[in-house]
Amino acid sequence: MISNSPEAEKLKELGNEQFKLSNFPKAIELYTAAVEKAAGNQRLVCLSNRAFAHIKMENYGLAIIDADEILKEDSGFIKAYYRKGSAYLLLGKFDDARKEFKRADTLTSGKDADIQAKLKQIKQAIYEREFAKSIERPDESSEPIDINDIFVEQGYDGPRIDKDISEVTPEWCENLMNHYKDQKKLHKKYAVMILQKVGEILKSQQNVVEYDVPKDLEFTVCGDTHGQFFDLLNIFKINGNPSVKRPYLFNGDFVDRGSWSVEVMMTLFAWKVCNPDIMHLTRGNHESRNMNKLYGFEGEVKHKYDDKVYELFQTVFNYLPLAYTLSKQVMVVHGGLFSNDGVTISELQKLNRFREIPEGGPMADMLWSDPIKQNGRHPSKRGISISFGPDIAHKFLNENGLSLLVRSHEMKDQGYEVEADGRVITIFSAPNYCDQMKNKGAFIIFKGGEMKPKFIQFDAVEHPKLPPMAYARNYGMFM
């Protein structure tokens, strides 16, 4: 019998303490040190704890790798199947998740209530997925909604559109934000009108929108906002509302996690309808049906509106551009770069983006990949797409005549990170992510003619007492 290492045990306990404080990166560091010093079952426990911390960090691919390493040594380690199943579940890979939870269920002789509940939830999710496929429209669009059939109650006191969409002015958008700030809802009729119009605008845009920033104009790029509406308001308070002199680009992941995703999305869409040139939007990996089912947006829309409005959101998400180039110098994309060399902007313009996000290929890479410090391409820590090194970034940028890649997709303690010799920037605009990560938010200002990034950091602001993922299904998100 292999005896436990006191040093490894101490490191594991320190990791547990950091885990309880939601300092998951530090917990992972301590668990890794413990794994290196432990042996036997003690090592497997440390790997399991690290897998749990990876799940908290949304590093689902790394959690699966840890679970597989455990199972190589002990095929009866129940928590390894649980961790692996959880990672697949949170990726929306329900069939793979069911397989892992079934193995755990067999090992517990069907007596673990939590595992049984997970299997029941997965069964329902698979049923809903197959039902949705059976009624799917061939053109990926939602069933049309006739606004003339929607009655506005006499007591409604929010922003109105009495005649046509041209009434959505800057003043209208400001009224909408104040209405939301008072925790009131935009009437369904006007929400549908905004969604229908913004869908028309977005559908007409290129996959990679080519935008020239006028000389001396300040162009603001924001990262993930994830339903943190009150932090979005703070961005506008710090930097000014969208205007001809101060346009914005929000780089995907507007929804999920935070419990005001409808308010974030409708605010950004309203500004886009107000003037398409002052609000620019790209798609993130969370603008998708699978993610929305798991992380709260589906439940939120159906709570605040109904199934038809949710389907309209999904149609609009499929119209969102995949990336921007700014003044032929900067590429802005939610995730990152590609599984293969030789990808060009002109080739990206030919992709069919009017669809759900696929599990592989260039479109998936654009929304899911991440930079890594080591050169080359590596398996994704998330379990989808790849991680790409500085050499990959340099090669892509040089071949496409670009100087800088701006991407989002990852929480950063300071709200941003610069790597690859200054040629790759991650920007993240959801401070104190999920009310627990204690990170700053940040955005970038580019001045036309110079196109040098200027970083503005900000802290989280108070919000009403509604927890993150208040509308999410109980898939055990914080397992």
Side-chain angles (χ1 to χ4, degrees), residues 142-152 156 159-161 164-165 168 172 176 180 185-202 262 265-267 269-270 273 301 304-316 319:
S142 57
E143 182 182 348
I145 302 174
D146 188 344
I147 59 169
N148 295 315
D149 293 339
I150 306 173
F151 174 73
V152 180
Y156 173 71
R160 293 173 176 264
I161 303 172
D164 61 58
I165 205 73
V168 179
W172 194 96
L176 175 65
Y180 282 151
K185 185 174 72 174
L186 178 65
H187 196 277
K188 176 183 173 180
K189 180 172 185 176
Y190 310 129
V192 168
M193 292 176 75
I194 294 287
L195 287 166
Q196 290 175 338
K197 182 59 180 179
V198 83
E200 292 176 14
I201 295 168
L202 295 171
V262 166
M265 197 73 271
M266 291 307 303
T267 296
F269 281 166
V273 167
V301 177
K304 294 176 180 178
Y305 293 112
D306 55 31
D307 288 13
K308 285 189 175 181
V309 173
Y310 175 70
E311 291 301 322
L312 183 53
F313 268 111
Q314 293 301 320
T315 295
V316 175
Y319 295 156

Short mmCIF file of all heavy atoms in Angstrom, two decimals, residues 142-152 156 159-161 164-165 168 172 176 180 185-202 262 265-267 269-270 273 301 304-316 319:
data_model
loop_
_atom_site.label_atom_id
_atom_site.label_comp_id
_atom_site.label_asym_id
_atom_site.label_seq_id
_atom_site.Cartn_x
_atom_site.Cartn_y
_atom_site.Cartn_z
N SER A 142 -36.87 31.52 -37.67
CA SER A 142 -37.95 31.23 -36.75
C SER A 142 -39.30 31.46 -37.43
O SER A 142 -39.40 32.09 -38.48
CB SER A 142 -37.83 32.12 -35.51
OG SER A 142 -37.84 33.48 -35.90
N GLU A 143 -40.33 30.96 -36.79
CA GLU A 143 -41.69 31.19 -37.29
C GLU A 143 -42.01 32.68 -37.20
O GLU A 143 -41.77 33.31 -36.17
CB GLU A 143 -42.68 30.40 -36.46
CG GLU A 143 -44.12 30.52 -36.91
CD GLU A 143 -45.08 29.75 -36.02
OE1 GLU A 143 -44.60 28.94 -35.19
OE2 GLU A 143 -46.30 29.96 -36.12
N PRO A 144 -42.49 33.29 -38.28
CA PRO A 144 -42.76 34.73 -38.26
C PRO A 144 -43.75 35.11 -37.16
O PRO A 144 -44.68 34.37 -36.85
CB PRO A 144 -43.34 35.00 -39.65
CG PRO A 144 -42.88 33.87 -40.50
CD PRO A 144 -42.80 32.68 -39.59
N ILE A 145 -43.51 36.28 -36.55
CA ILE A 145 -44.42 36.82 -35.55
C ILE A 145 -45.06 38.08 -36.13
O ILE A 145 -44.35 38.99 -36.57
CB ILE A 145 -43.69 37.17 -34.24
CG1 ILE A 145 -42.99 35.93 -33.66
CG2 ILE A 145 -44.64 37.76 -33.21
CD1 ILE A 145 -42.12 36.22 -32.45
N ASP A 146 -46.37 38.14 -36.15
CA ASP A 146 -47.10 39.31 -36.65
C ASP A 146 -47.31 40.28 -35.49
O ASP A 146 -48.06 39.99 -34.55
CB ASP A 146 -48.44 38.89 -37.24
CG ASP A 146 -49.16 40.04 -37.95
OD1 ASP A 146 -48.77 41.21 -37.73
OD2 ASP A 146 -50.11 39.78 -38.70
N ILE A 147 -46.64 41.44 -35.55
CA ILE A 147 -46.75 42.38 -34.43
C ILE A 147 -48.16 42.95 -34.29
O ILE A 147 -48.53 43.42 -33.21
CB ILE A 147 -45.73 43.53 -34.57
CG1 ILE A 147 -45.94 44.30 -35.88
CG2 ILE A 147 -44.30 43.03 -34.47
CD1 ILE A 147 -45.16 45.59 -35.95
N ASN A 148 -48.93 42.88 -35.36
CA ASN A 148 -50.32 43.38 -35.27
C ASN A 148 -51.19 42.51 -34.38
O ASN A 148 -52.28 42.92 -33.97
CB ASN A 148 -50.92 43.47 -36.68
CG ASN A 148 -50.20 44.50 -37.54
OD1 ASN A 148 -49.91 45.60 -37.09
ND2 ASN A 148 -49.90 44.12 -38.78
N ASP A 149 -50.70 41.30 -34.10
CA ASP A 149 -51.44 40.40 -33.23
C ASP A 149 -51.09 40.59 -31.76
O ASP A 149 -51.66 39.92 -30.89
CB ASP A 149 -51.17 38.94 -33.62
CG ASP A 149 -51.73 38.59 -34.98
OD1 ASP A 149 -52.65 39.30 -35.45
OD2 ASP A 149 -51.23 37.63 -35.60
N ILE A 150 -50.14 41.50 -31.48
CA ILE A 150 -49.69 41.69 -30.09
C ILE A 150 -50.32 42.97 -29.53
O ILE A 150 -50.11 44.06 -30.06
CB ILE A 150 -48.15 41.77 -30.02
CG1 ILE A 150 -47.51 40.55 -30.69
CG2 ILE A 150 -47.69 41.89 -28.57
CD1 ILE A 150 -45.99 40.63 -30.81
N PHE A 151 -51.05 42.82 -28.46
CA PHE A 151 -51.77 43.95 -27.85
C PHE A 151 -50.93 44.56 -26.74
O PHE A 151 -50.35 43.84 -25.92
CB PHE A 151 -53.11 43.45 -27.28
CG PHE A 151 -53.87 44.49 -26.51
CD1 PHE A 151 -54.50 45.54 -27.16
CD2 PHE A 151 -53.94 44.43 -25.12
CE1 PHE A 151 -55.20 46.50 -26.45
CE2 PHE A 151 -54.64 45.38 -24.40
CZ PHE A 151 -55.27 46.42 -25.07
N VAL A 152 -50.84 45.90 -26.73
CA VAL A 152 -50.11 46.61 -25.67
C VAL A 152 -51.11 47.06 -24.61
O VAL A 152 -52.04 47.83 -24.88
CB VAL A 152 -49.35 47.82 -26.23
CG1 VAL A 152 -48.60 48.54 -25.11
CG2 VAL A 152 -48.39 47.38 -27.32
N TYR A 156 -49.02 49.85 -19.61
CA TYR A 156 -47.60 49.78 -19.95
C TYR A 156 -46.99 51.17 -19.95
O TYR A 156 -47.50 52.09 -20.61
CB TYR A 156 -47.42 49.11 -21.31
CG TYR A 156 -45.98 49.14 -21.80
CD1 TYR A 156 -45.01 48.34 -21.20
CD2 TYR A 156 -45.60 49.97 -22.86
CE1 TYR A 156 -43.69 48.37 -21.63
CE2 TYR A 156 -44.28 49.99 -23.31
CZ TYR A 156 -43.34 49.20 -22.69
OH TYR A 156 -42.03 49.24 -23.11
N PRO A 159 -40.88 52.41 -23.03
CA PRO A 159 -40.69 52.97 -24.37
C PRO A 159 -41.64 52.33 -25.37
O PRO A 159 -41.92 51.14 -25.30
CB PRO A 159 -39.23 52.62 -24.71
CG PRO A 159 -38.57 52.40 -23.39
CD PRO A 159 -39.62 51.82 -22.50
N ARG A 160 -42.14 53.15 -26.30
CA ARG A 160 -43.08 52.68 -27.31
C ARG A 160 -42.57 52.97 -28.71
O ARG A 160 -41.77 53.89 -28.92
CB ARG A 160 -44.45 53.37 -27.14
CG ARG A 160 -45.19 52.99 -25.86
CD ARG A 160 -46.45 53.84 -25.69
NE ARG A 160 -47.21 53.42 -24.52
CZ ARG A 160 -48.24 52.58 -24.55
NH1 ARG A 160 -48.63 52.07 -25.70
NH2 ARG A 160 -48.87 52.25 -23.44
N ILE A 161 -43.04 52.18 -29.65
CA ILE A 161 -42.84 52.45 -31.07
C ILE A 161 -44.23 52.53 -31.68
O ILE A 161 -44.87 51.50 -31.94
CB ILE A 161 -41.99 51.34 -31.75
CG1 ILE A 161 -40.64 51.18 -31.04
CG2 ILE A 161 -41.78 51.67 -33.22
CD1 ILE A 161 -39.84 49.98 -31.52
N ASP A 164 -43.35 53.46 -36.62
CA ASP A 164 -42.35 52.61 -37.28
C ASP A 164 -41.03 52.67 -36.53
O ASP A 164 -40.86 53.44 -35.59
CB ASP A 164 -42.16 53.01 -38.75
CG ASP A 164 -41.69 54.44 -38.92
OD1 ASP A 164 -40.62 54.78 -38.37
OD2 ASP A 164 -42.39 55.22 -39.58
N ILE A 165 -40.10 51.85 -36.99
CA ILE A 165 -38.85 51.62 -36.28
C ILE A 165 -37.95 52.85 -36.25
O ILE A 165 -37.02 52.94 -35.44
CB ILE A 165 -38.12 50.41 -36.91
CG1 ILE A 165 -37.17 49.75 -35.89
CG2 ILE A 165 -37.38 50.83 -38.17
CD1 ILE A 165 -37.87 48.97 -34.83
N VAL A 168 -36.87 54.68 -33.02
CA VAL A 168 -35.78 54.24 -32.13
C VAL A 168 -34.60 55.18 -32.33
O VAL A 168 -33.75 54.99 -33.20
CB VAL A 168 -35.40 52.77 -32.41
CG1 VAL A 168 -34.26 52.34 -31.49
CG2 VAL A 168 -36.61 51.87 -32.19
N TRP A 172 -34.60 57.35 -27.33
CA TRP A 172 -35.40 56.14 -27.10
C TRP A 172 -34.54 55.08 -26.42
O TRP A 172 -34.97 54.42 -25.47
CB TRP A 172 -35.93 55.62 -28.44
CG TRP A 172 -37.01 54.58 -28.34
CD1 TRP A 172 -38.35 54.79 -28.41
CD2 TRP A 172 -36.83 53.17 -28.15
NE1 TRP A 172 -39.03 53.59 -28.29
CE2 TRP A 172 -38.12 52.58 -28.12
CE3 TRP A 172 -35.73 52.35 -28.00
CZ2 TRP A 172 -38.33 51.21 -27.95
CZ3 TRP A 172 -35.93 50.98 -27.82
CH2 TRP A 172 -37.20 50.43 -27.80
N LEU A 176 -34.93 53.34 -22.79
CA LEU A 176 -34.96 51.89 -22.61
C LEU A 176 -34.01 51.47 -21.50
O LEU A 176 -34.37 50.66 -20.62
CB LEU A 176 -34.58 51.19 -23.92
CG LEU A 176 -34.45 49.67 -23.84
CD1 LEU A 176 -35.81 49.03 -23.52
CD2 LEU A 176 -33.90 49.09 -25.15
N TYR A 180 -35.04 49.60 -18.04
CA TYR A 180 -34.42 48.37 -17.56
C TYR A 180 -33.76 48.56 -16.19
O TYR A 180 -33.78 47.66 -15.34
CB TYR A 180 -33.38 47.87 -18.56
CG TYR A 180 -33.92 47.18 -19.78
CD1 TYR A 180 -33.22 47.23 -20.99
CD2 TYR A 180 -35.11 46.44 -19.74
CE1 TYR A 180 -33.69 46.56 -22.11
CE2 TYR A 180 -35.58 45.79 -20.86
CZ TYR A 180 -34.87 45.85 -22.04
OH TYR A 180 -35.34 45.19 -23.16
N LYS A 185 -39.77 45.74 -17.87
CA LYS A 185 -39.60 44.97 -19.10
C LYS A 185 -40.07 45.77 -20.31
O LYS A 185 -41.09 46.46 -20.25
CB LYS A 185 -40.39 43.66 -18.98
CG LYS A 185 -40.21 42.70 -20.14
CD LYS A 185 -40.91 41.38 -19.85
CE LYS A 185 -42.42 41.51 -19.93
NZ LYS A 185 -43.11 40.20 -19.81
N LEU A 186 -39.31 45.68 -21.41
CA LEU A 186 -39.78 46.22 -22.68
C LEU A 186 -40.92 45.34 -23.18
O LEU A 186 -40.82 44.12 -23.15
CB LEU A 186 -38.64 46.23 -23.71
CG LEU A 186 -38.99 46.74 -25.11
CD1 LEU A 186 -39.36 48.21 -25.09
CD2 LEU A 186 -37.83 46.50 -26.07
N HIS A 187 -41.99 45.97 -23.63
CA HIS A 187 -43.14 45.19 -24.07
C HIS A 187 -42.76 44.26 -25.21
O HIS A 187 -41.93 44.59 -26.07
CB HIS A 187 -44.28 46.11 -24.52
CG HIS A 187 -45.59 45.41 -24.61
ND1 HIS A 187 -45.96 44.67 -25.73
CD2 HIS A 187 -46.62 45.29 -23.74
CE1 HIS A 187 -47.15 44.14 -25.53
NE2 HIS A 187 -47.58 44.50 -24.33
N LYS A 188 -43.37 43.10 -25.22
CA LYS A 188 -43.09 42.11 -26.24
C LYS A 188 -43.22 42.66 -27.65
O LYS A 188 -42.38 42.37 -28.52
CB LYS A 188 -44.02 40.90 -26.06
CG LYS A 188 -43.86 39.84 -27.16
CD LYS A 188 -44.87 38.71 -26.98
CE LYS A 188 -44.81 37.76 -28.18
NZ LYS A 188 -45.79 36.64 -28.04
N LYS A 189 -44.22 43.49 -27.90
CA LYS A 189 -44.44 44.00 -29.26
C LYS A 189 -43.21 44.77 -29.74
O LYS A 189 -42.75 44.58 -30.87
CB LYS A 189 -45.67 44.91 -29.28
CG LYS A 189 -45.96 45.49 -30.67
CD LYS A 189 -47.29 46.22 -30.70
CE LYS A 189 -47.61 46.70 -32.11
NZ LYS A 189 -48.96 47.32 -32.17
N TYR A 190 -42.67 45.61 -28.88
CA TYR A 190 -41.54 46.44 -29.27
C TYR A 190 -40.25 45.63 -29.29
O TYR A 190 -39.36 45.90 -30.11
CB TYR A 190 -41.44 47.65 -28.34
CG TYR A 190 -42.76 48.37 -28.21
CD1 TYR A 190 -43.31 48.68 -26.96
CD2 TYR A 190 -43.50 48.72 -29.34
CE1 TYR A 190 -44.53 49.31 -26.85
CE2 TYR A 190 -44.73 49.36 -29.25
CZ TYR A 190 -45.25 49.64 -27.99
OH TYR A 190 -46.47 50.26 -27.88
N ALA A 191 -40.15 44.64 -28.42
CA ALA A 191 -38.99 43.75 -28.46
C ALA A 191 -38.95 43.01 -29.79
O ALA A 191 -37.89 42.89 -30.42
CB ALA A 191 -39.04 42.76 -27.29
N VAL A 192 -40.09 42.52 -30.24
CA VAL A 192 -40.16 41.80 -31.52
C VAL A 192 -39.81 42.74 -32.67
O VAL A 192 -39.07 42.35 -33.61
CB VAL A 192 -41.55 41.18 -31.71
CG1 VAL A 192 -41.74 40.68 -33.15
CG2 VAL A 192 -41.76 40.03 -30.73
N MET A 193 -40.29 43.96 -32.62
CA MET A 193 -39.99 44.92 -33.69
C MET A 193 -38.48 45.18 -33.78
O MET A 193 -37.90 45.24 -34.86
CB MET A 193 -40.75 46.23 -33.46
CG MET A 193 -42.26 46.10 -33.64
SD MET A 193 -43.16 47.62 -33.24
CE MET A 193 -42.78 48.63 -34.68
N ILE A 194 -37.83 45.33 -32.62
CA ILE A 194 -36.38 45.53 -32.58
C ILE A 194 -35.66 44.30 -33.14
O ILE A 194 -34.74 44.41 -33.97
CB ILE A 194 -35.90 45.80 -31.14
CG1 ILE A 194 -36.45 47.13 -30.62
CG2 ILE A 194 -34.38 45.76 -31.06
CD1 ILE A 194 -35.82 48.35 -31.20
N LEU A 195 -36.07 43.12 -32.70
CA LEU A 195 -35.43 41.88 -33.15
C LEU A 195 -35.59 41.68 -34.66
O LEU A 195 -34.65 41.27 -35.35
CB LEU A 195 -36.00 40.68 -32.39
CG LEU A 195 -35.55 40.56 -30.92
CD1 LEU A 195 -36.42 39.56 -30.18
CD2 LEU A 195 -34.09 40.15 -30.84
N GLN A 196 -36.76 41.96 -35.17
CA GLN A 196 -36.98 41.78 -36.60
C GLN A 196 -36.12 42.73 -37.42
O GLN A 196 -35.51 42.34 -38.42
CB GLN A 196 -38.47 41.97 -36.94
CG GLN A 196 -39.35 40.84 -36.42
CD GLN A 196 -40.83 41.09 -36.65
OE1 GLN A 196 -41.27 42.23 -36.81
NE2 GLN A 196 -41.62 40.03 -36.64
N LYS A 197 -36.03 43.98 -36.97
CA LYS A 197 -35.25 44.96 -37.71
C LYS A 197 -33.76 44.68 -37.60
O LYS A 197 -33.03 44.74 -38.61
CB LYS A 197 -35.55 46.37 -37.19
CG LYS A 197 -34.80 47.47 -37.95
CD LYS A 197 -35.15 47.46 -39.44
CE LYS A 197 -34.42 48.56 -40.20
NZ LYS A 197 -34.75 48.52 -41.64
N VAL A 198 -33.28 44.35 -36.39
CA VAL A 198 -31.84 44.10 -36.25
C VAL A 198 -31.43 42.85 -37.03
O VAL A 198 -30.32 42.77 -37.56
CB VAL A 198 -31.43 44.01 -34.76
CG1 VAL A 198 -31.69 42.62 -34.16
CG2 VAL A 198 -29.96 44.38 -34.59
N GLY A 199 -32.35 41.89 -37.14
CA GLY A 199 -32.08 40.71 -37.96
C GLY A 199 -31.83 41.09 -39.41
O GLY A 199 -30.91 40.59 -40.06
N GLU A 200 -32.66 42.01 -39.95
CA GLU A 200 -32.47 42.48 -41.32
C GLU A 200 -31.10 43.14 -41.50
O GLU A 200 -30.41 42.91 -42.50
CB GLU A 200 -33.56 43.49 -41.68
CG GLU A 200 -34.96 42.93 -41.78
CD GLU A 200 -35.98 44.03 -42.03
OE1 GLU A 200 -35.56 45.16 -42.39
OE2 GLU A 200 -37.18 43.79 -41.84
N ILE A 201 -30.72 43.96 -40.52
CA ILE A 201 -29.44 44.68 -40.60
C ILE A 201 -28.27 43.71 -40.57
O ILE A 201 -27.36 43.76 -41.41
CB ILE A 201 -29.33 45.70 -39.46
CG1 ILE A 201 -30.40 46.79 -39.59
CG2 ILE A 201 -27.94 46.32 -39.42
CD1 ILE A 201 -30.54 47.67 -38.36
N LEU A 202 -28.29 42.80 -39.59
CA LEU A 202 -27.17 41.88 -39.41
C LEU A 202 -27.03 40.91 -40.58
O LEU A 202 -25.92 40.59 -41.01
CB LEU A 202 -27.34 41.10 -38.09
CG LEU A 202 -27.28 41.94 -36.81
CD1 LEU A 202 -27.68 41.09 -35.61
CD2 LEU A 202 -25.88 42.52 -36.60
N VAL A 262 -31.35 39.36 -21.34
CA VAL A 262 -32.33 39.99 -22.22
C VAL A 262 -32.09 41.49 -22.27
O VAL A 262 -32.09 42.11 -23.35
CB VAL A 262 -33.76 39.69 -21.75
CG1 VAL A 262 -34.77 40.60 -22.45
CG2 VAL A 262 -34.12 38.22 -22.01
N MET A 265 -28.88 42.26 -24.26
CA MET A 265 -29.03 42.01 -25.69
C MET A 265 -29.96 43.03 -26.33
O MET A 265 -29.66 43.56 -27.42
CB MET A 265 -29.58 40.59 -25.89
CG MET A 265 -29.41 40.06 -27.30
SD MET A 265 -27.70 39.59 -27.71
CE MET A 265 -27.02 41.13 -28.36
N MET A 266 -31.07 43.34 -25.70
CA MET A 266 -32.02 44.29 -26.28
C MET A 266 -31.45 45.71 -26.30
O MET A 266 -31.72 46.48 -27.23
CB MET A 266 -33.34 44.26 -25.53
CG MET A 266 -34.15 42.97 -25.71
SD MET A 266 -34.46 42.52 -27.44
CE MET A 266 -35.29 43.99 -28.04
N THR A 267 -30.64 46.05 -25.31
CA THR A 267 -30.00 47.37 -25.31
C THR A 267 -29.04 47.50 -26.49
O THR A 267 -29.07 48.50 -27.22
CB THR A 267 -29.24 47.60 -23.98
OG1 THR A 267 -30.18 47.63 -22.90
CG2 THR A 267 -28.47 48.91 -24.01
N PHE A 269 -29.00 45.69 -29.25
CA PHE A 269 -29.77 45.62 -30.49
C PHE A 269 -30.49 46.95 -30.77
O PHE A 269 -30.59 47.39 -31.92
CB PHE A 269 -30.78 44.48 -30.44
CG PHE A 269 -30.19 43.11 -30.70
CD1 PHE A 269 -30.92 41.96 -30.39
CD2 PHE A 269 -28.94 42.96 -31.26
CE1 PHE A 269 -30.40 40.70 -30.64
CE2 PHE A 269 -28.41 41.70 -31.51
CZ PHE A 269 -29.15 40.56 -31.21
N ALA A 270 -31.01 47.59 -29.72
CA ALA A 270 -31.70 48.87 -29.91
C ALA A 270 -30.75 49.93 -30.46
O ALA A 270 -31.09 50.68 -31.38
CB ALA A 270 -32.32 49.33 -28.59
N VAL A 273 -30.15 49.24 -34.10
CA VAL A 273 -31.29 49.68 -34.90
C VAL A 273 -31.29 51.21 -35.00
O VAL A 273 -31.58 51.78 -36.06
CB VAL A 273 -32.61 49.16 -34.31
CG1 VAL A 273 -33.80 49.86 -34.94
CG2 VAL A 273 -32.71 47.65 -34.50
N VAL A 301 -35.43 34.17 -21.39
CA VAL A 301 -36.32 34.70 -22.43
C VAL A 301 -37.73 34.12 -22.28
O VAL A 301 -38.73 34.84 -22.39
CB VAL A 301 -35.77 34.39 -23.84
CG1 VAL A 301 -36.74 34.88 -24.91
CG2 VAL A 301 -34.41 35.05 -24.04
N LYS A 304 -39.39 35.89 -19.37
CA LYS A 304 -39.73 37.30 -19.60
C LYS A 304 -40.63 37.49 -20.81
O LYS A 304 -41.38 38.47 -20.88
CB LYS A 304 -38.45 38.12 -19.76
CG LYS A 304 -37.63 38.17 -18.46
CD LYS A 304 -36.30 38.89 -18.63
CE LYS A 304 -35.54 38.90 -17.29
NZ LYS A 304 -34.21 39.55 -17.40
N TYR A 305 -40.56 36.56 -21.77
CA TYR A 305 -41.41 36.62 -22.96
C TYR A 305 -42.04 35.25 -23.21
O TYR A 305 -42.86 34.81 -22.43
CB TYR A 305 -40.61 37.12 -24.17
CG TYR A 305 -40.18 38.57 -24.02
CD1 TYR A 305 -38.83 38.90 -23.86
CD2 TYR A 305 -41.11 39.61 -24.04
CE1 TYR A 305 -38.43 40.24 -23.71
CE2 TYR A 305 -40.73 40.93 -23.89
CZ TYR A 305 -39.39 41.24 -23.72
OH TYR A 305 -39.00 42.54 -23.58
N ASP A 306 -41.63 34.55 -24.27
CA ASP A 306 -42.22 33.25 -24.56
C ASP A 306 -41.35 32.49 -25.56
O ASP A 306 -40.31 32.97 -25.99
CB ASP A 306 -43.66 33.39 -25.07
CG ASP A 306 -43.78 34.30 -26.29
OD1 ASP A 306 -42.82 34.36 -27.10
OD2 ASP A 306 -44.83 34.95 -26.46
N ASP A 307 -41.80 31.31 -25.94
CA ASP A 307 -41.03 30.45 -26.84
C ASP A 307 -40.78 31.10 -28.20
O ASP A 307 -39.69 30.96 -28.77
CB ASP A 307 -41.78 29.13 -27.08
CG ASP A 307 -41.76 28.21 -25.86
OD1 ASP A 307 -41.39 28.68 -24.77
OD2 ASP A 307 -42.12 27.03 -26.01
N LYS A 308 -41.78 31.82 -28.73
CA LYS A 308 -41.62 32.41 -30.06
C LYS A 308 -40.56 33.50 -30.06
O LYS A 308 -39.78 33.62 -31.02
CB LYS A 308 -42.96 32.97 -30.55
CG LYS A 308 -43.95 31.90 -31.00
CD LYS A 308 -45.16 32.52 -31.67
CE LYS A 308 -46.08 31.45 -32.23
NZ LYS A 308 -47.26 32.06 -32.92
N VAL A 309 -40.52 34.28 -29.01
CA VAL A 309 -39.49 35.33 -28.92
C VAL A 309 -38.11 34.69 -28.79
O VAL A 309 -37.13 35.15 -29.37
CB VAL A 309 -39.77 36.29 -27.76
CG1 VAL A 309 -38.62 37.28 -27.57
CG2 VAL A 309 -41.07 37.05 -28.01
N TYR A 310 -38.03 33.60 -28.02
CA TYR A 310 -36.75 32.89 -27.89
C TYR A 310 -36.28 32.40 -29.25
O TYR A 310 -35.09 32.54 -29.60
CB TYR A 310 -36.89 31.71 -26.93
CG TYR A 310 -35.64 30.88 -26.85
CD1 TYR A 310 -34.49 31.37 -26.25
CD2 TYR A 310 -35.59 29.59 -27.40
CE1 TYR A 310 -33.31 30.61 -26.20
CE2 TYR A 310 -34.44 28.83 -27.34
CZ TYR A 310 -33.30 29.35 -26.74
OH TYR A 310 -32.15 28.60 -26.70
N GLU A 311 -37.17 31.83 -30.05
CA GLU A 311 -36.79 31.35 -31.37
C GLU A 311 -36.35 32.51 -32.27
O GLU A 311 -35.44 32.35 -33.10
CB GLU A 311 -37.95 30.58 -32.01
CG GLU A 311 -38.25 29.25 -31.34
CD GLU A 311 -37.05 28.31 -31.35
OE1 GLU A 311 -36.30 28.28 -32.36
OE2 GLU A 311 -36.84 27.61 -30.35
N LEU A 312 -36.97 33.67 -32.11
CA LEU A 312 -36.57 34.84 -32.88
C LEU A 312 -35.16 35.28 -32.50
O LEU A 312 -34.35 35.64 -33.36
CB LEU A 312 -37.57 35.97 -32.68
CG LEU A 312 -37.35 37.25 -33.48
CD1 LEU A 312 -37.21 36.97 -34.97
CD2 LEU A 312 -38.50 38.24 -33.22
N PHE A 313 -34.84 35.24 -31.21
CA PHE A 313 -33.47 35.52 -30.78
C PHE A 313 -32.49 34.57 -31.47
O PHE A 313 -31.42 34.99 -31.94
CB PHE A 313 -33.34 35.36 -29.26
CG PHE A 313 -33.55 36.62 -28.47
CD1 PHE A 313 -34.67 36.77 -27.66
CD2 PHE A 313 -32.62 37.64 -28.50
CE1 PHE A 313 -34.85 37.91 -26.91
CE2 PHE A 313 -32.80 38.80 -27.76
CZ PHE A 313 -33.92 38.94 -26.96
N GLN A 314 -32.83 33.29 -31.52
CA GLN A 314 -31.93 32.31 -32.12
C GLN A 314 -31.70 32.60 -33.60
O GLN A 314 -30.58 32.45 -34.11
CB GLN A 314 -32.47 30.89 -31.92
CG GLN A 314 -32.47 30.42 -30.49
CD GLN A 314 -31.09 30.43 -29.86
OE1 GLN A 314 -30.10 30.07 -30.48
NE2 GLN A 314 -31.02 30.86 -28.60
N THR A 315 -32.75 33.01 -34.29
CA THR A 315 -32.60 33.37 -35.70
C THR A 315 -31.65 34.55 -35.85
O THR A 315 -30.76 34.54 -36.72
CB THR A 315 -33.98 33.73 -36.30
OG1 THR A 315 -34.81 32.57 -36.29
CG2 THR A 315 -33.84 34.24 -37.73
N VAL A 316 -31.82 35.55 -35.01
CA VAL A 316 -30.96 36.74 -35.08
C VAL A 316 -29.51 36.37 -34.76
O VAL A 316 -28.57 36.86 -35.39
CB VAL A 316 -31.48 37.85 -34.15
CG1 VAL A 316 -30.51 39.03 -34.13
CG2 VAL A 316 -32.85 38.32 -34.61
N TYR A 319 -27.50 35.34 -37.58
CA TYR A 319 -27.17 36.40 -38.53
C TYR A 319 -25.95 37.22 -38.10
O TYR A 319 -25.41 37.98 -38.90
CB TYR A 319 -28.35 37.35 -38.71
CG TYR A 319 -29.59 36.75 -39.32
CD1 TYR A 319 -30.85 37.32 -39.09
CD2 TYR A 319 -29.53 35.63 -40.15
CE1 TYR A 319 -32.00 36.78 -39.65
CE2 TYR A 319 -30.68 35.09 -40.71
CZ TYR A 319 -31.91 35.67 -40.45
OH TYR A 319 -33.05 35.13 -41.01
#
